[in-house]
Amino acid sequence: MRKKFLFTPGPTPLPPEVQEALSRPIIHHRTTDYQEIFAEVNEGLKYIFQTENPVFTFASSGTGVMEAAVVNLTREGEKALAIVGGKFGERWKEILEAFGRECVSLDVEWGSAPRVEEVEKILDKNPDVEVVFATLCETSTGTKTDIKSLAELCNKKGKILVVDAISGLVAMELRTDEWGVDVVVAGSQKGIMLPPGLAFLSINEKAWKKIENNDIKAYYFDLKKTKKAYEKTDTPFTPAVGLIVALRESLRMIKEEGLENIWKKFSLISFAVREAVKTLGLEIFSRYPAEAVTAVKVPQGIDGIELYKAMKEKIGVQVAGGQAHLKGKIIRIAHMGYMDYTDAILAISALETALSILGYSVEFGKGVGKVMEIFLKEGVFQ
Ligand SMILES: *Cc1c(COP(=O)(O)O)cnc(C)c1O
């Protein structure tokens, strides 16, 4: 059996501190012990979301809070804009349509990012759009959206901006309050170093005003009910106690390392990985690469599924393949959560080895050498 290393953009590896917390006996949630943990966690979430506003936690996968954002912030029949440049942008559109909203979409070529001028044009053409749905890191293509500029535009136009930061949060720069982002959603199993099962939503006053006037057809995800409970440091339903206890540990670790240091770390790791990939003669799929995940084009003559399999089964390094029409065409290497500089060296060495196994000619150590050269030059190992 091979020792296994996980490089998928969710779930991500768990630090020992989190694993230990997950193994503790369960406690009851209506106790002062739990309330103390819950209060600390709520403060820690504000830090990682870079907001002074409340961050609500639900027991669900990330998609749950995407649904919560749609059903609370928009009314049936209301027109909303979704930016679609990959599988997760598509999800905004699908949720809007599933709930009878009229979705205007800005379709961006996969691997490309939306331009603010294009968004502005659509908003001018559709003045009745009140809410814009975007994605910080489009995980399916490894692409970053310029959320800062998008937020500037939305504020200028008086629109509400909702950002799916499920894969980007913690790994990539996101300054919710400073940039004026109204709603941010995230999940536990990516940058936050927890198992899947928790989802988070932050919301500011401006977005809240719209909710107050909406007749919300939701029950579990009714944000008005959630907010009321939070005012008493409580939740309307049983929280995922075990995961919340573990979340306290991961938030402490993030705080200790410092969010800006983590952004810098993944920025450098992703840069080194991209440079190494290019050194091997391969191409990066995205034109606006995200720091949280790198999508690598599988070279001509190599089957992407075989490449993925060789890395996982022969070497023990599990990356992600492509989704939808990118299946077999790309592999995706995550840089988020409990990952470090040394992991980048491992990922690239596994890629070199697997390519060689499949008959692609590589000069051994060329990619790894590039990674090490960049890290040494940047003073990482000092
Ligand atoms: C993973 C991911 C999701 C979906 O999260 P689930 O927890 O699988 O529901 C949504 N958006 C983005 C950008 C993601 O990376």
Side-chain angles (χ1 to χ4, degrees):
M1 198 198 74
R2 288 268 167 268
K3 181 170 177 183
K4 292 187 179 78
F5 298 91
L6 196 55
F7 283 96
T8 53
T12 57
L14 303 180
E17 290 87 338
V18 167
Q19 280 180 344
E20 180 276 317
L22 287 168
S23 69
R24 290 180 209 159
I26 199 82
I27 60 170
H28 195 272
H29 57 290
R30 308 232 183 266
T31 57
T32 49
D33 282 350
Y34 179 75
Q35 255 193 350
E36 249 171 56
I37 296 168
F38 188 50
E40 182 182 332
V41 159
N42 290 336
E43 282 311 303
L45 286 169
K46 286 182 186 180
Y47 171 66
I48 65 167
F49 275 73
Q50 292 284 288
T51 184
E52 294 298 321
N53 295 305
V55 182
F56 302 128
T57 301
F58 295 89
S60 86
S61 93
T63 307
V65 281
M66 292 175 77
E67 181 170 320
V70 167
V71 296
N72 283 271
L73 282 154
T74 60
R75 296 175 298 271
E76 240 180 295
E78 182 177 328
K79 202 192 260 186
L81 171 61
I83 298 170
V84 181
K87 204 173 156 46
F88 295 108
E90 258 171 17
R91 189 162 298 179
W92 277 132
K93 184 180 156 84
E94 285 167 6
I95 298 170
L96 282 161
E97 288 175 347
F99 287 93
R101 274 61 169 168
E102 189 186 337
C103 179
V104 183
S105 60
L106 168 59
D107 293 305
V108 180
E109 190 192 341
W110 286 37
S112 204
R115 287 188 311 126
V116 172
E117 308 84 76
E118 289 175 302
V119 180
E120 184 160 21
K121 236 190 256 166
I122 294 200
L123 289 176
D124 287 340
K125 235 194 267 168
N126 299 277
D128 45 345
V129 163
E130 292 177 60
V131 189
V132 177
F133 294 88
T135 312
L136 169 62
C137 170
E138 176 49 78
T139 320
S140 62
T141 64
T143 302
K144 170 163 77 167
T145 298
D146 178 359
I147 296 298
K148 188 181 178 200
S149 306
L150 196 58
E152 221 172 74
L153 172 74
C154 288
N155 282 307
K156 187 178 90 181
K157 298 261 174 200
K159 312 294 180 190
I160 290 168
L161 176 62
V162 180
V163 173
D164 168 357
I166 296 177
S167 61
L169 196 88
V170 183
M172 289 165 62
E173 184 180 18
L174 176 64
R175 300 179 190 271
T176 303
D177 286 0
E178 198 184 310
W179 293 352
V181 182
D182 303 299
V183 176
V184 174
V185 298
S188 54
Q189 78 273 28
K190 304 198 179 184
I192 302 178
M193 308 187 287
L194 286 191
L198 293 180
F200 314 99
L201 182 146
S202 79
I203 178 161
N204 69 7
E205 279 296 320
K206 178 176 144 211
W208 193 260
K209 282 217 179 81
K210 180 149 191 320
I211 288 189
E212 277 179 341
N213 301 322
N214 284 355
D215 169 30
I216 297 164
K217 290 204 179 63
Y219 192 88
Y220 182 72
F221 285 121
D222 181 341
L223 290 182
K224 285 181 193 165
K225 199 157 49 190
T226 309
K227 188 172 186 244
K228 218 181 225 166
Y230 264 71
E231 278 155 13
K232 294 174 282 165
T233 321
D234 198 1
T235 45
F237 313 107
T238 310
V241 175
L243 288 171
I244 297 279
V245 168
L247 176 60
R248 176 166 67 168
E249 299 307 320
S250 70
L251 290 173
R252 282 177 176 174
M253 290 174 74
I254 293 167
K255 186 85 202 255
E256 194 183 308
E257 187 171 354
L259 204 50
E260 305 220 350
N261 294 329
I262 298 173
W263 292 341
K264 249 191 246 158
K265 175 176 75 182
F266 288 118
S267 171
L268 187 55
I269 288 174
S270 60
F271 170 71
V273 165
R274 290 194 300 273
E275 289 304 303
V277 162
K278 288 188 245 172
T279 303
L280 294 173
L282 275 56
E283 287 173 61
I284 302 300
F285 179 77
S286 177
R287 274 186 276 159
Y288 302 92
E291 286 86 357
V293 57
T294 299
V296 180
K297 275 195 206 170
V298 176
Q300 283 274 309
I302 301 284
D303 178 347
I305 294 164
E306 291 300 317
L307 179 61
Y308 160 87
K309 265 200 198 151
M311 288 180 79
K312 177 169 176 277
E313 282 155 26
K314 299 212 158 70
I315 305 163
V317 167
Q318 182 170 4
V319 296
Q323 294 164 292
H325 66 272
L326 294 177
K327 202 168 177 181
K329 303 233 166 57
I330 59 168
I331 58 159
R332 294 173 298 144
I333 306 168
H335 327 292
M336 59 174 79
Y338 189 54
M339 290 182 195
D340 210 333
Y341 296 103
T342 42
D343 292 305
I345 297 171
L346 174 61
I348 291 299
S349 73
L351 177 62
E352 286 186 6
T353 310
L355 283 168
S356 163
I357 291 170
L358 296 175
Y360 180 86
S361 145
V362 289
E363 192 185 314
F364 273 135
K366 212 175 164 195
V368 171
K370 191 74 192 171
V371 174
M372 291 164 75
E373 182 192 310
I374 291 170
F375 287 168
L376 284 174
K377 191 170 143 231
E378 295 297 324
V380 163
F381 299 125
Q382 266 161 28

